[in-house]
Amino acid sequence: MIELLNVTKIYNRGRHNEFSAVRGITLELIAGECVIIKGPSGSGKSSLLSLIGCMHRPTSGRIRLHGAEAARVVGSANPAEPVEVTSLPERYLTEIRRQLFGFIFQQFNLVRGITALENVMLPAYPLGVPRSVIRKNALELFDSLGIAHRATARIEHLSGGEQQRVAIARALITRPTALIADEPTAHLDSNLSREFLAIVEKLKLAGTTLIIASHDPLVYDSPLADKVVEVRDGLLLSPGSSR
Amino acid sequence: MRTVIESQRNILDYALSGLMRRRGKTFSLILLYALVVFVLASIMFFTHAMRRESELLLSGAPELVVQRMIAGRHDPIPLEYGRGIATIRGVSRVQPRLWGYYYDSDIRANYTVQTTTDDSITRGTLAIGAGLARMRSLKKGDELSIWGYDGQPRTFQVATIFTVESDLLTTDLVLTHEADFRELFHFPMERATDLSVTVRNPREIPTVAARIAELYPDTRPITRQDILRTYAAVFDWRGGILIVMVSMALLAFVIFAWDRASGLSANEQREIGILKSIGWKTEEVLILKLWEGAIISLTAFLLGLIGGYIHVFLLSAPLFARVIKGWATLYPSFRLTPFIDYYQVAVLFVLSVFPYLLATVVPSWQAAIVDPDNAMRGSE
Amino acid sequence: MQSGIIALLVTSLGTAGLLLYAARIAIQTLRSWDLGSGSEQQLLLERKTALVSTIVALILGFQVVTLALFIYTVDALHILFAGSMCAAGTLNVNPLGYPSLAIKLLCTILAGIWMIINRADYLAHDFPLIKVKFTLLLVLAPLSLLEAGSLTSYFLLLKPDVITSCCGSLFEGGRTTLAGLLAGLPPVPSAIGYYLVTAVTLLNGIITWRTGRGGLLLAVTSLAAFISGIAALVAFFCLYYYEIPTHHCPFCLLQPEYGRIGYLLYALLISGVVTGCGGGVIHLNRKRPSLSVIVPKLQKRLALWTVLSFSLYLLLVTIKLLTTSFRLD
Ligand SMILES: Nc1ncnc2c1ncn2[C@@H]1O[C@H](COP(=O)(O)OP(=O)(O)OP(=O)(O)O)[C@@H](O)[C@H]1O
Ligand SMILES: [Mg+2]
């Protein structure tokens, strides 16, 4: 569903602290697959994920999205034609992002001071769904993730594992077709990591595309992975060793 | 359309909950803002109500008054002038008026003394305004001494105490019998303070006034329109100066608001970064910020408006009545008739809400353009 | 009243300031716009377009409110000036009154049209109208500065006790001024002219609304309907409101004696001309690929607004014409 052609990302271009985080990656991600991106710290995994997830535009190269959904978002006349993300205005990137992707961030990125429930509801607010409906969906997610009893607790009162599951629930509230997870097990012990993989398995069975960056062997050696790619210094090392 | 409304509602809800979370900051901002609006509202209501009171009063005043001038000063006018004026075409009636001021050293206040043709005021009796009655604690039937031109006091009986729709200018009024008035002040016979002229067709007033000035070059005809204009100018001028001063305060506040809005706390910045990363568009965050601004300024506006109303109409504007009224001894507890029109509310709205919105639009935008991938990098 | 003047001045100065700021962004954008580039500068420029839209939207709101406030204020001020009976006299006190009103009106209409262009631009994915709308902004900003200047000088030069003319003499046929010209139009023919022009406009509007065609023509006809609406109001319809065969003042209609009906009538005319002309401007750009779906849809909606505005106006004046006992002979 996503195609990257020789994509680069240079931060702070033209300034003294210019940094090339992604240096020409070509990659195709297929709908329904589970892809693991591994590599050492600082190799550019997070940068690659944010390009895939339409967080920002690449410095050069092209990113294309296949599928009717992306075509509908930009109002394209021909749904069979892939959508060229590269030059879309920011608000379209955002629109695509929230229609297609759910994100689990390395640091969870939950808003402090509000309840777990409201955190999960947040991504759906601008979509124009009535609040009561969002609330119902969120509570269902809390149920299925086994944290229903913590729904009305404030974020800062939750344990790491609970926060993780709140972050998962938030990523799923908009019913994304693809889930992007950045180091999802970095803050978890091995028990919780296994629990996470169980959730991933369920999602995969439901047909969700999974894109996970991780340097945790438990994740990249897991049988769930359809494809493991390795990134080093902004370049692809093993071009998709499929199993 | 439905989805637009729903998403706006959701964003508004979230704006409210955000403001409540930052309670301390929100309420201090609203309080300061409301204070500025309050002062502004008080001044506007007050000057406006004062002006309306005087207009109300003047609506009962004669359409045309003729004074005699000697060496540029007002002097009693001979009654024969009146007989002459009565013959001008269009004039239906000429009435001599006798009035003046009397200084009461006991309570250090000026009364306006005027004669009346009302039958209930016979020789030796008076009618007085409610303010005066209160100051001297007089009831109907009590006696009041007034010092004459010769330094001898005359004693009068209070026949009536009147209160009328507007008590701004009648509160210090004393009505006497004509003969008493002339005796008390040694006012020359065959003279009057001025003449009140009634003209059959109001459109002819300017013509009649011109004709009078022509016949009697030593007189000055004054039309009610002239007086209304002067009043309007005076009250507006006094109020205008205050409003300029308060506008300065408003300006200071706006700068403060701009400063507040542009200096986001680290927490707020982080929150916006998260919103952006989970799929809020720049426009939506901007709308969130604008909703916050709208809530703050509308709340402050309403609070200030209600506060100003209570201050002026229920408490009689204790904070600055003296500044505007000037001669205030007789008015400590006098009440203005509550009167507000949409225009004043609209002006107050424009004056207090618009500058705030103008000042916060750019900082709000700056807050809204935080990069979404800030969250990706996890800047904790 | 003083407070109203201060409110107007504060708002117009603030508006002008903000619009100049927006114009600076517009110049930057026109200079270095490059959609293909993924540079941070381009990203910032794109983000700034959101700021500019918000600024103009805010200012359009301000303009609508302050236009009404301005008219109300000068109307209320008339008691300060000997010889004047309504806003017409106050505006005539010094030579800046009428130009101020005209500029303010123009600014409001332009801001409305700008918002329509902006809407079309926003709906498309490749900023097709960015040049058009930012060029228009470069017209709007100086105009708004001019408005602030002229408004300020008008109010500062407003000396009480000036003897001015009342509307009865300003709007009197036979004078060579615009007001005199309007008032001097023969009442019945100008009414007939108005009905003809409006009928054509409404027909045009309905066609555009149903089929999406004739959008450009609608810009022209709605402008004509706007002008003939005002002309016929001054020359003919107002006589029925005042029930005086010689009183042609367009401002007395704003007074409470006539239910302040003027505010509604003028608002309808303005809304009609803004939606009509705005539709025409975007019609010129309908050929661009990214707009080919968006423009016709938006245009139909706008045409509906044009039709609604002008037909409500027509209904109001016609009802007055038929229900009042006053007859022109
Ligand atoms: N916005 C930015 N500005 C400047 N440099 C950046 C920015 N984002 C990332 N970098 C740099 O790009 C490089 C790659 O970062 P990235 O976060 O993609 O690595 P990563 O593989 O996810 O590392 P980790 O495993 O530690 O999360 C790092 O050296 C980082 O410092
Ligand atoms: Mg990372």
Side-chain angles (χ1 to χ4, degrees):
Chain A
M1 64 180 282
I2 309 164
E3 221 183 325
L4 283 79
L5 295 169
N6 201 19
V7 169
T8 68
K9 179 74 201 176
I10 304 174
Y11 292 112
N12 305 323
R13 198 159 130 201
R15 274 180 247 149
H16 68 282
N17 55 348
E18 180 173 301
F19 188 89
S20 222
V22 176
R23 305 191 296 161
I25 287 185
T26 300
L27 182 67
E28 190 176 356
L29 303 168
I30 295 157
E33 270 192 354
C34 173
V35 180
I36 312 283
I37 300 169
K38 69 173 184 177
S41 186
S43 57
K45 299 186 297 296
S46 298
S47 304
L48 183 58
L49 281 188
S50 52
L51 286 171
I52 294 172
C54 300
M55 272 298 183
H56 47 59
R57 301 195 292 216
T59 309
S60 71
R62 299 162 71 184
I63 300 178
R64 286 158 147 193
L65 286 174
H66 296 265
E69 208 146 347
R72 190 177 45 78
V73 171
V74 292
S76 147
N78 179 7
E81 207 173 281
V83 175
E84 191 76 46
V85 175
T86 327
S87 61
L88 280 182
E90 204 179 15
R91 60 172 192 278
Y92 279 91
L93 290 183
T94 312
E95 188 69 42
I96 290 175
R97 183 146 50 88
R98 67 189 186 191
Q99 299 286 346
L100 268 66
F101 301 109
F103 282 87
I104 301 170
F105 300 100
Q106 202 162 350
Q107 315 280 355
F108 305 151
N109 280 319
L110 298 166
V111 178
R112 284 188 227 124
I114 59 176
T115 63
L117 183 65
E118 180 137 36
N119 258 292
V120 171
M121 292 165 69
L122 269 183
Y125 279 168
L127 300 182
V129 185
R131 210 178 146 83
S132 54
V133 178
I134 306 176
R135 199 185 153 81
K136 205 181 105 254
N137 295 344
L139 285 171
E140 276 170 18
L141 281 170
F142 272 95
D143 255 342
S144 69
L145 292 169
I147 43 168
H149 59 294
R150 302 300 279 156
T152 52
R154 294 242 223 116
I155 280 301
E156 52 269 41
H157 298 156
L158 297 185
S159 74
E162 287 166 338
Q163 289 195 16
Q164 159 102 48
R165 276 175 284 181
V166 173
I168 298 175
R170 186 181 64 183
L172 298 176
I173 187 75
T174 51
R175 300 177 199 277
T177 52
L179 183 73
I180 295 181
D182 191 1
E183 312 274 9
T185 58
H187 297 274
L188 305 181
D189 60 25
S190 54
N191 263 342
L192 285 171
S193 298
R194 264 181 221 107
E195 255 182 56
F196 171 74
L197 287 175
I199 295 167
V200 168
E201 184 169 14
K202 259 198 253 166
L203 288 171
K204 195 183 168 193
L205 285 176
T208 312
T209 311
L210 292 149
I211 304 154
I212 302 171
S214 181
H215 53 229
D216 183 355
L218 200 65
V219 176
Y220 60 74
D221 286 341
S222 111
L224 288 172
D226 296 304
K227 189 158 53 170
V228 177
V229 296
E230 190 168 352
V231 186
R232 192 140 313 163
D233 288 336
L235 288 169
L236 226 52
L237 208 62
S238 50
S241 55
S242 283
R243 300 186 190 182
Chain B
M1 203 59 215
R2 275 282 303 277
T3 62
V4 172
I5 292 171
E6 282 298 341
S7 80
Q8 289 297 321
R9 259 188 55 186
N10 291 339
I11 294 175
L12 175 61
D13 270 351
Y14 190 65
L16 268 172
S17 95
L19 288 176
M20 287 310 288
R21 240 180 307 139
R22 299 184 288 273
R23 226 168 268 132
K25 185 178 168 181
T26 308
F27 287 145
S28 57
L29 192 61
I30 289 183
L31 204 69
L32 194 64
Y33 194 167
L35 199 68
V36 179
V37 179
F38 165 77
V39 176
L40 212 56
S42 298
I43 294 173
M44 280 179 52
F45 292 164
F46 191 79
T47 45
H48 199 84
M50 291 284 282
R51 216 182 75 203
R52 217 181 83 98
E53 296 272 343
S54 56
E55 278 170 11
L56 218 62
L57 190 79
L58 280 168
S59 64
E63 292 156 334
L64 182 59
V65 169
V66 183
Q67 293 177 345
R68 185 197 192 191
M69 310 297 289
I70 291 184
R73 308 278 301 173
H74 179 191
D75 196 73
I77 189 167
L79 293 181
E80 75 184 70
Y81 280 28
R83 290 187 281 274
I85 290 170
T87 62
I88 296 175
R89 258 185 52 187
V91 172
S92 62
R93 201 158 73 107
V94 178
Q95 216 174 2
R97 299 196 311 168
L98 282 165
W99 58 273
Y101 299 113
Y102 172 77
Y103 180 70
D104 185 336
S105 51
D106 289 353
I107 59 171
R108 272 176 293 166
N110 260 314
Y111 308 159
T112 306
V113 186
Q114 205 176 323
T115 62
T116 176
T117 47
D118 195 318
D119 289 339
S120 65
I121 308 298
T122 51
R123 284 210 66 162
T125 64
L126 294 173
I128 61 175
L132 177 56
R134 200 173 44 238
M135 285 295 285
R136 301 220 49 151
S137 28
L138 291 171
K139 296 186 306 294
K140 197 173 155 177
D142 284 355
E143 291 193 335
L144 173 66
S145 293
I146 294 181
W147 299 80
Y149 70 100
D150 51 3
Q152 299 304 312
R154 272 86 168 156
T155 307
F156 295 91
Q157 200 185 16
V158 176
T160 335
I161 296 172
F162 50 81
T163 42
V164 280
E165 191 184 349
S166 156
D167 48 11
L168 175 57
L169 296 184
T170 49
T171 191
D172 68 340
L173 195 63
V174 177
L175 294 180
T176 67
H177 189 268
E178 181 184 336
D180 283 338
F181 187 91
R182 288 192 191 278
E183 199 276 326
L184 193 57
F185 298 115
H186 198 56
F187 203 91
M189 302 302 276
E190 279 301 302
R191 296 279 178 108
T193 311
D194 52 29
L195 301 171
S196 139
V197 179
T198 316
V199 178
R200 212 170 289 120
N201 180 354
R203 281 170 177 266
E204 282 180 17
I205 291 173
T207 332
V208 171
R211 184 84 187 109
I212 292 172
E214 197 180 302
L215 275 181
Y216 302 102
D218 61 340
T219 62
R220 177 171 67 176
I222 303 167
T223 66
R224 186 163 65 200
Q225 271 291 313
D226 290 333
I227 303 174
L228 271 176
R229 256 201 295 284
T230 317
Y231 265 101
V234 166
F235 282 119
D236 263 356
W237 183 75
R238 285 184 171 161
I241 289 194
L242 278 174
I243 284 181
V244 167
M245 272 156 47
V246 175
S247 303
M248 294 294 151
L250 192 72
L251 185 73
F253 170 75
V254 160
I255 293 170
F256 171 78
W258 180 81
D259 191 53
R260 266 295 166 100
S262 55
L264 281 188
S265 73
N267 253 337
E268 279 173 83
Q269 220 154 5
R270 181 174 175 275
E271 180 185 336
I272 292 172
I274 294 175
L275 291 178
K276 291 293 288 287
S277 71
I278 58 176
W280 285 46
K281 294 176 186 170
T282 302
E283 292 89 330
E284 285 153 357
V285 179
L286 188 55
I287 285 170
L288 174 75
K289 287 279 139 198
L290 292 178
W291 270 127
E292 282 181 5
I295 293 168
I296 287 180
S297 56
L298 284 181
T299 314
F301 170 71
L302 284 179
L303 284 179
L305 187 75
I306 295 169
Y309 185 90
I310 293 175
H311 175 221
V312 171
F313 296 119
L314 303 185
L315 306 177
S316 305
L319 290 184
F320 48 73
R322 277 155 199 273
V323 183
I324 297 181
K325 271 189 297 197
W327 76 105
T329 328
L330 274 178
Y331 304 104
S333 64
F334 118 95
R335 273 200 184 178
L336 289 163
T337 326
F339 175 78
I340 296 189
D341 59 11
Y342 295 122
Y343 177 72
Q344 290 181 75
V345 177
V347 166
L348 195 61
F349 183 81
V350 169
L351 214 47
S352 55
V353 174
F354 282 17
Y356 183 83
L357 293 180
L358 281 174
T360 49
V361 60
V362 177
S364 299
W365 171 80
Q366 267 161 353
I369 58 164
V370 173
D371 258 321
D373 72 324
N374 271 359
M376 205 72 189
R377 266 176 285 140
S379 48
E380 293 234 3
Chain C
M1 253 57 82
Q2 220 89 4
S3 48
I5 294 176
I6 293 171
L8 284 168
L9 294 184
V10 166
T11 319
S12 74
L13 288 173
T15 299
L18 208 54
L19 272 181
L20 285 183
Y21 176 76
R24 229 188 65 197
I25 298 178
I27 292 172
Q28 276 172 10
T29 309
L30 289 174
R31 276 228 194 98
S32 40
W33 183 258
D34 176 13
L35 195 56
S37 120
S39 71
E40 276 162 46
Q41 195 206 359
Q42 171 66 17
L43 183 64
L44 190 61
L45 286 181
E46 284 174 25
R47 287 175 174 174
K48 280 185 175 171
T49 61
L51 174 60
V52 174
S53 312
T54 316
I55 288 177
V56 182
L58 201 65
I59 278 165
L60 176 62
F62 286 7
Q63 282 289 8
V64 170
V65 174
T66 53
L67 182 61
L69 196 68
F70 176 63
I71 292 179
Y72 193 104
T73 304
V74 289
D75 189 30
L77 278 175
H78 78 83
I79 59 154
L80 284 181
F81 303 99
S84 90
M85 285 163 69
C86 68
T90 319
L91 288 171
N92 192 50
V93 167
N94 67 50
L96 284 166
Y98 281 102
S100 297
L101 178 63
I103 298 172
K104 199 156 179 52
L105 191 62
L106 191 62
C107 277
T108 311
I109 292 177
L110 279 184
I113 294 176
W114 196 93
M115 284 312 290
I116 290 171
I117 302 175
N118 183 55
R119 183 75 199 150
D121 187 54
Y122 182 82
L123 288 173
H125 63 80
D126 58 353
F127 297 98
L129 299 177
I130 191 98
K131 294 246 148 89
V132 179
K133 73 179 185 186
F134 279 179
T135 312
L136 183 58
L137 191 63
L138 291 183
V139 177
L140 188 57
L143 208 60
S144 141
L145 192 64
L146 195 66
E147 179 204 307
S150 126
L151 213 59
T152 312
S153 348
Y154 168 65
F155 280 126
L156 286 183
L157 294 176
L158 208 55
K159 296 250 163 48
D161 301 334
V162 169
I163 311 254
T164 176
S165 318
C166 94
C167 46
S169 65
L170 282 171
F171 289 88
E172 189 174 45
R175 291 169 58 122
T176 51
T177 56
L178 179 64
L181 209 70
L182 283 179
L185 290 175
V188 177
S190 65
I192 293 171
Y194 160 75
Y195 277 113
L196 281 177
V197 171
T198 304
V200 171
T201 311
L202 290 181
L203 195 68
N204 188 178
I206 289 168
I207 291 173
T208 310
W209 170 43
R210 301 305 319 187
T211 70
R213 276 194 312 232
L216 201 56
L217 189 64
L218 186 60
V220 179
T221 49
S222 66
L223 191 62
F226 175 73
I227 293 170
S228 76
I230 289 181
L233 189 65
V234 174
F236 180 71
F237 293 115
C238 70
L239 305 179
Y240 288 84
Y241 282 99
Y242 304 135
E243 311 196 338
I244 302 171
T246 52
H247 195 55
H248 285 292
C249 176
F251 295 100
C252 288
L253 280 174
L254 303 163
Q255 294 192 327
E257 290 96 296
Y258 309 105
R260 301 199 189 283
I261 185 75
Y263 287 100
L264 181 60
L265 293 178
Y266 293 124
L268 288 172
L269 286 180
I270 291 173
S271 129
V273 74
V274 165
T275 50
C277 290
V281 176
I282 58 170
H283 180 89
L284 290 173
N285 297 285
R286 73 193 182 290
K287 289 272 163 57
R288 299 180 191 239
S290 60
L291 287 175
S292 59
V293 184
I294 293 161
V295 161
K297 232 166 90 184
L298 190 58
Q299 227 178 349
K300 286 181 189 174
R301 274 231 306 277
L302 289 171
L304 181 60
W305 278 108
T306 315
V307 170
L308 287 180
S309 306
F310 282 133
S311 53
L312 190 56
Y313 178 87
L314 181 105
L315 208 65
L316 283 176
V317 291
T318 310
I319 286 178
K320 186 69 197 180
L321 187 67
L322 297 179
T323 54
T324 172
S325 56
F326 174 80
R327 283 291 163 267
L328 205 63
D329 19 47

